[in-house]
Amino acid sequence: MSGADLFGGTLEPVRKEEPLGDGALLLRGFALADEVALLAALDAILTRAPWRHMVTPGGQRMSVAMTNAGQLGWLSDRRGYRYEPNDPQTGQAWPAMPPTFQWLAAAAATRAGFAGFAPDACLVNRYEAGTRLSLHQDRDECDFNQPIVSVSLGIPAVFLFGGLHRTDRPQRVPLVHGDVVVWGGPARLRYHGVLPVKSAHHPVLGDCRINLTLRRAG
Ligand code: MD3
Ligand code: FE
């Protein structure tokens, strides 16, 4: 059975698994079934912990707007990069990790061979036209044996998936609304980033891209 519908000509959302090299698995469309619950949870997070632009240790304002949920939240300021239990803007604990986030991350990690993943930190990144994230490694977590799960929502972006050395030429991976990627094992310390996002419109999210990065930080 086939026919044109909301999912681009098929009756089901695209849901396909693509290995991105050792330890990294792209799950196309994996978050689509939970879209409504994810966005409701995100709204509740933003009410308590609004978007902010952090400053790098070198004093540059980051073009990505950020917030956090979970027991620990990722921070950058003049003193460095680190995880903290409280939002420095309010002095209060970060909003709790929504069960939908935990469940989605655990289910995705299981698909990639990391059963039992229990994230305690969700960094939420917002990109608008022109926003980019330069090549970096995620090294502020305690245990690099734990994978990272990322969920892309809203307008598309091109993800840069580099190697273990900053100078390794990165692969370009287009990511769209609903895509989930699990990064673990030998991929865990690979350099990565996001090219400047092109201006676009998403029917639900508007003119932005939101990325959830779920980690075991503590
Ligand atoms: C590959 N965020 O917040 S998550 C970040 O789209 C970050 O906002 C990106 O990188 C974003 O640190 C992408 C994807 C990601 C996260 C961790 C990785 C990719 C990774 C660790 C190793 C290799
Ligand atoms: Fe990263």
Side-chain angles (χ1 to χ4, degrees):
M1 208 188 283
S2 69
D5 75 356
L6 287 170
F7 298 111
T10 62
L11 289 169
E12 296 293 321
V14 181
R15 220 162 174 274
K16 186 173 183 298
E17 302 189 355
E18 300 175 20
L20 293 180
D22 238 12
L25 182 65
L26 168 52
L27 302 161
R28 291 272 182 215
F30 195 83
L32 291 176
D34 298 305
E35 178 185 18
V36 172
L38 290 171
L39 295 176
L42 186 58
D43 264 341
I45 291 167
L46 290 167
T47 301
R48 283 202 35 211
W51 297 119
R52 78 285 311 270
H53 290 273
M54 299 184 190
V55 173
T56 65
Q60 302 266 27
R61 173 188 189 266
M62 298 182 74
S63 69
V64 182
M66 297 177 166
T67 189
N68 289 279
Q71 280 167 258
L72 292 169
W74 186 86
L75 286 187
S76 177
D77 61 18
R78 295 302 302 227
R79 287 156 50 212
Y81 305 127
R82 65 195 175 278
Y83 285 92
E84 294 274 5
N86 295 333
D87 179 349
Q89 237 162 254
T90 61
Q92 304 291 303
W94 294 105
M97 176 85 72
T100 314
F101 288 20
Q102 277 175 317
W103 181 89
L104 184 73
T110 298
R111 293 299 312 151
F114 301 98
F117 180 54
D120 59 7
C122 179
L123 173 64
V124 187
N125 291 332
R126 187 193 66 195
Y127 298 78
E128 287 165 312
T131 304
R132 64 192 289 267
L133 188 64
S134 51
L135 273 186
H136 66 277
Q137 291 173 300
D138 287 18
R139 323 176 37 134
D140 302 319
E141 302 74 30
C142 290
D143 179 3
F144 299 147
N145 293 310
Q146 297 284 335
I148 293 177
V149 174
S150 73
V151 180
S152 292
L153 298 168
I155 67 175
V158 177
F159 183 77
L160 295 173
F161 189 33
L164 293 174
H165 303 278
R166 189 184 286 281
T167 51
D168 294 341
R169 181 193 290 272
Q171 296 175 50
R172 292 177 174 215
V173 183
L175 294 177
V176 303
H177 182 75
D179 288 347
V180 175
V181 192
V182 183
W183 323 85
R188 178 63 181 76
L189 288 174
R190 284 174 66 167
Y191 279 86
H192 57 277
V194 178
L195 284 182
V197 168
K198 279 202 201 169
S199 175
H201 183 78
H202 184 274
V204 181
L205 277 283
D207 297 347
C208 71
R209 168 178 190 258
I210 291 178
N211 184 270
L212 311 176
T213 306
L214 292 127
R215 306 184 174 98
R216 183 92 200 168

Coordinates of all heavy atoms in Angstrom, one line a residue, residues 29-46 51 69 96-106 108 122 124 149-154 176-180 204-205 210-214:
G29 N 14.5 9.2 11.8 CA 13.1 9.3 12.2 C 12.8 8.6 13.5 O 11.6 8.5 13.8
F30 N 13.8 8.2 14.3 CA 13.5 7.5 15.5 C 12.7 8.3 16.5 O 11.9 7.7 17.3 CB 14.8 7.1 16.1 CG 14.7 6.0 17.2 CD1 14.7 4.7 16.8 CD2 14.7 6.3 18.5 CE1 14.6 3.7 17.8 CE2 14.6 5.4 19.5 CZ 14.6 4.0 19.2
A31 N 12.8 9.6 16.5 CA 12.1 10.4 17.5 C 10.7 10.9 17.0 O 9.9 11.5 17.8 CB 12.9 11.7 17.8
L32 N 10.3 10.6 15.8 CA 9.1 11.1 15.2 C 7.8 10.7 16.0 O 6.9 11.4 16.2 CB 8.9 10.8 13.7 CG 9.9 11.5 12.8 CD1 9.7 10.9 11.4 CD2 9.7 13.0 12.8
A33 N 7.8 9.4 16.4 CA 6.7 8.9 17.1 C 6.4 9.6 18.5 O 5.3 9.6 19.0 CB 6.8 7.4 17.3
D34 N 7.5 10.2 19.0 CA 7.4 10.9 20.3 C 7.4 12.4 20.2 O 7.6 13.1 21.2 CB 8.5 10.4 21.2 CG 8.5 8.9 21.5 OD1 7.4 8.5 22.0 OD2 9.4 8.2 21.2
E35 N 7.3 12.9 19.0 CA 7.4 14.4 18.7 C 6.6 15.2 19.7 O 7.1 16.2 20.3 CB 7.0 14.6 17.3 CG 7.0 16.1 16.9 CD 6.5 16.3 15.5 OE1 5.8 15.4 14.9 OE2 6.8 17.4 15.0
V36 N 5.3 14.9 19.9 CA 4.4 15.7 20.7 C 4.9 15.8 22.1 O 5.0 16.8 22.8 CB 3.0 15.3 20.5 CG1 2.1 16.0 21.5 CG2 2.5 15.5 19.1
A37 N 5.2 14.6 22.7 CA 5.6 14.5 24.1 C 7.0 15.2 24.3 O 7.2 15.9 25.3 CB 5.8 13.0 24.5
L38 N 7.9 15.1 23.3 CA 9.2 15.7 23.4 C 9.0 17.2 23.4 O 9.7 17.9 24.3 CB 10.1 15.3 22.2 CG 10.6 13.9 22.2 CD1 11.3 13.6 20.8 CD2 11.6 13.6 23.3
L39 N 8.2 17.8 22.6 CA 8.0 19.2 22.5 C 7.3 19.8 23.7 O 7.6 20.9 24.2 CB 7.3 19.6 21.2 CG 8.2 19.3 19.9 CD1 7.4 19.6 18.7 CD2 9.5 20.0 20.0
A40 N 6.4 19.0 24.3 CA 5.7 19.5 25.5 C 6.7 19.5 26.6 O 6.7 20.5 27.4 CB 4.5 18.6 25.8
A41 N 7.5 18.5 26.7 CA 8.5 18.5 27.8 C 9.5 19.6 27.6 O 10.0 20.2 28.6 CB 9.2 17.1 27.8
L42 N 9.9 19.9 26.4 CA 10.8 21.0 26.1 C 10.3 22.3 26.6 O 11.0 23.2 27.2 CB 11.2 21.0 24.6 CG 12.2 21.9 24.2 CD1 13.5 21.7 24.9 CD2 12.4 21.8 22.7
D43 N 9.0 22.6 26.3 CA 8.3 23.8 26.7 C 8.4 24.0 28.3 O 8.7 25.0 28.8 CB 6.8 23.8 26.3 CG 6.6 24.5 25.0 OD1 7.5 25.3 24.6 OD2 5.6 24.3 24.4
A44 N 8.2 22.9 29.0 CA 8.2 22.9 30.4 C 9.6 23.2 30.9 O 9.8 24.0 31.9 CB 7.7 21.6 31.0
I45 N 10.6 22.7 30.3 CA 12.0 23.0 30.6 C 12.3 24.5 30.4 O 12.9 25.1 31.3 CB 13.0 22.1 29.8 CG1 12.9 20.6 30.1 CG2 14.4 22.6 29.9 CD1 13.6 19.7 29.2
L46 N 11.9 25.0 29.3 CA 12.2 26.4 29.0 C 11.5 27.4 29.9 O 12.0 28.5 30.1 CB 11.8 26.7 27.5 CG 12.7 26.0 26.5 CD1 12.2 26.0 25.1 CD2 14.1 26.6 26.5
W51 N 16.3 29.9 27.4 CA 17.5 30.0 26.6 C 18.5 31.0 27.1 O 18.1 32.1 27.5 CB 17.1 30.3 25.1 CG 16.2 29.4 24.4 CD1 15.0 29.6 24.0 CD2 16.5 28.0 24.1 NE1 14.5 28.5 23.3 CE2 15.4 27.5 23.4 CE3 17.6 27.2 24.3 CZ2 15.3 26.2 22.9 CZ3 17.6 25.9 23.8 CH2 16.4 25.4 23.1
A69 N 18.5 20.1 31.1 CA 17.6 19.3 32.0 C 18.3 18.2 32.6 O 19.3 17.7 32.0 CB 16.3 18.8 31.3
A96 N 14.0 18.7 36.0 CA 14.2 17.3 35.9 C 14.3 16.8 34.5 O 13.6 17.3 33.6 CB 13.1 16.6 36.7
M97 N 15.0 15.7 34.3 CA 15.0 15.0 33.0 C 13.6 14.4 32.7 O 13.1 13.6 33.4 CB 16.0 13.9 33.0 CG 16.0 13.1 31.8 SD 17.1 13.7 30.6 CE 18.7 13.4 31.3
P98 N 13.0 14.9 31.6 CA 11.6 14.3 31.3 C 11.7 12.8 31.0 O 12.7 12.4 30.3 CB 11.2 15.1 30.0 CG 12.1 16.3 30.0 CD 13.4 15.9 30.6
P99 N 10.8 12.0 31.5 CA 10.8 10.6 31.3 C 10.9 10.2 29.8 O 11.5 9.3 29.4 CB 9.5 10.1 31.9 CG 9.2 11.1 33.0 CD 9.7 12.4 32.5
T100 N 10.2 11.0 28.9 CA 10.2 10.8 27.5 C 11.7 10.9 26.9 O 12.0 10.1 26.1 CB 9.4 11.8 26.7 OG1 8.1 11.9 27.4 CG2 9.1 11.3 25.3
F101 N 12.4 11.8 27.5 CA 13.8 11.9 27.0 C 14.6 10.7 27.4 O 15.4 10.1 26.6 CB 14.5 13.2 27.6 CG 14.1 14.5 27.1 CD1 12.9 14.7 26.5 CD2 14.9 15.6 27.4 CE1 12.5 16.0 26.0 CE2 14.5 16.9 26.9 CZ 13.3 17.1 26.3
Q102 N 14.4 10.3 28.7 CA 15.2 9.1 29.2 C 14.8 7.9 28.4 O 15.7 7.1 28.1 CB 14.8 8.9 30.7 CG 15.5 9.8 31.6 CD 15.0 9.6 33.0 OE1 13.8 9.5 33.3 NE2 16.0 9.5 34.0
W103 N 13.5 7.7 28.2 CA 13.1 6.5 27.5 C 13.6 6.5 26.1 O 14.1 5.4 25.6 CB 11.6 6.5 27.6 CG 11.0 5.2 26.9 CD1 10.8 4.0 27.5 CD2 10.8 5.1 25.5 NE1 10.4 3.1 26.6 CE2 10.4 3.7 25.3 CE3 10.8 5.9 24.4 CZ2 10.0 3.2 24.1 CZ3 10.5 5.4 23.2 CH2 10.1 4.0 23.0
L104 N 13.5 7.6 25.4 CA 14.0 7.7 24.0 C 15.5 7.4 23.9 O 15.9 6.6 23.1 CB 13.6 9.0 23.4 CG 14.0 9.2 21.9 CD1 13.0 8.4 21.1 CD2 14.0 10.7 21.6
A105 N 16.2 8.0 24.8 CA 17.7 7.8 24.8 C 18.1 6.4 25.1 O 19.0 5.8 24.4 CB 18.3 8.7 25.8
A106 N 17.4 5.8 26.0 CA 17.7 4.4 26.4 C 17.3 3.4 25.2 O 18.1 2.5 24.9 CB 17.0 4.0 27.7
A108 N 17.2 4.2 22.0 CA 18.1 4.4 20.9 C 19.5 3.7 21.2 O 20.1 3.1 20.4 CB 18.3 5.9 20.7
C122 N 20.9 16.4 30.1 CA 20.4 16.7 28.7 C 20.7 18.2 28.4 O 20.1 19.1 29.0 CB 18.9 16.5 28.6 SG 18.3 16.9 26.9
V124 N 20.4 21.1 25.9 CA 19.5 21.5 24.8 C 20.1 22.7 24.0 O 20.4 23.7 24.6 CB 18.1 21.9 25.3 CG1 17.1 22.1 24.2 CG2 17.6 20.8 26.3
V149 N 23.6 10.3 23.2 CA 22.5 10.2 22.2 C 22.1 11.6 21.9 O 21.9 12.4 22.7 CB 21.3 9.4 22.8 CG1 20.1 9.4 21.9 CG2 21.7 8.0 23.2
S150 N 22.0 11.9 20.6 CA 21.5 13.2 20.2 C 20.3 13.1 19.3 O 20.1 12.1 18.5 CB 22.6 14.0 19.4 OG 22.8 13.4 18.1
V151 N 19.4 14.0 19.5 CA 18.1 14.1 18.9 C 17.9 15.4 18.2 O 18.1 16.5 18.8 CB 16.9 14.0 19.9 CG1 15.6 14.0 19.3 CG2 17.1 12.7 20.8
S152 N 17.7 15.3 16.8 CA 17.6 16.6 16.0 C 16.1 16.9 15.8 O 15.3 16.0 15.4 CB 18.2 16.4 14.7 OG 19.6 16.3 14.8
L153 N 15.8 18.1 16.0 CA 14.4 18.6 15.8 C 14.4 19.9 15.1 O 15.3 20.7 15.2 CB 13.7 18.8 17.2 CG 13.5 17.6 18.1 CD1 13.1 18.0 19.5 CD2 12.6 16.6 17.5
G154 N 13.4 20.1 14.2 CA 13.3 21.4 13.5 C 14.0 21.4 12.2 O 14.0 20.4 11.5
V176 N 18.0 15.7 9.9 CA 16.7 16.4 9.8 C 15.8 16.0 11.1 O 16.2 15.2 11.9 CB 15.9 15.9 8.5 CG1 16.8 16.3 7.3 CG2 15.5 14.5 8.6
H177 N 14.7 16.7 11.2 CA 13.7 16.6 12.3 C 13.4 15.1 12.5 O 13.0 14.3 11.6 CB 12.4 17.3 11.8 CG 11.4 17.3 12.9 ND1 11.4 18.0 14.0 CD2 10.2 16.5 12.9 CE1 10.3 17.8 14.7 NE2 9.6 16.9 14.1
G178 N 13.6 14.7 13.8 CA 13.3 13.3 14.1 C 14.5 12.3 14.1 O 14.4 11.2 14.6
D179 N 15.6 12.8 13.5 CA 16.8 11.9 13.5 C 17.4 11.8 14.9 O 17.6 12.7 15.6 CB 17.9 12.4 12.5 CG 17.4 12.2 11.1 OD1 16.5 11.5 10.8 OD2 18.1 12.8 10.2
V180 N 17.9 10.6 15.2 CA 18.6 10.3 16.5 C 19.9 9.6 16.1 O 20.0 8.8 15.3 CB 17.7 9.4 17.4 CG1 18.5 9.0 18.6 CG2 16.4 10.1 17.7
V204 N 6.5 22.9 12.6 CA 6.2 22.9 14.1 C 7.2 23.7 14.9 O 6.8 24.5 15.8 CB 6.3 21.4 14.6 CG1 6.0 21.4 16.1 CG2 5.3 20.5 13.8
L205 N 8.5 23.7 14.6 CA 9.5 24.4 15.4 C 9.8 25.8 14.9 O 10.5 26.5 15.6 CB 10.8 23.6 15.3 CG 11.1 22.4 16.3 CD1 11.4 22.9 17.6 CD2 9.9 21.4 16.3
I210 N 16.6 22.5 17.0 CA 16.9 22.2 18.4 C 17.5 20.8 18.5 O 17.0 19.9 17.9 CB 15.6 22.3 19.3 CG1 15.2 23.8 19.3 CG2 15.8 21.7 20.7 CD1 13.9 24.0 20.1
N211 N 18.6 20.7 19.2 CA 19.3 19.4 19.4 C 19.3 19.1 20.9 O 19.7 19.9 21.7 CB 20.7 19.5 18.8 CG 21.4 18.1 18.9 OD1 22.0 17.8 19.9 ND2 21.2 17.3 17.9
L212 N 18.8 17.9 21.2 CA 18.9 17.4 22.6 C 20.2 16.5 22.6 O 20.3 15.6 21.8 CB 17.7 16.5 22.9 CG 16.3 17.1 22.6 CD1 15.2 16.1 23.0 CD2 16.1 18.4 23.4
T213 N 21.1 16.7 23.5 CA 22.2 15.9 23.7 C 22.2 15.2 25.1 O 22.3 15.9 26.1 CB 23.6 16.7 23.5 OG1 23.5 17.4 22.3 CG2 24.8 15.7 23.5
L214 N 21.9 13.9 25.0 CA 21.7 13.2 26.3 C 23.0 12.4 26.7 O 23.6 11.7 25.9 CB 20.6 12.2 26.1 CG 19.3 13.0 26.0 CD1 18.5 12.6 24.8 CD2 18.4 12.9 27.2

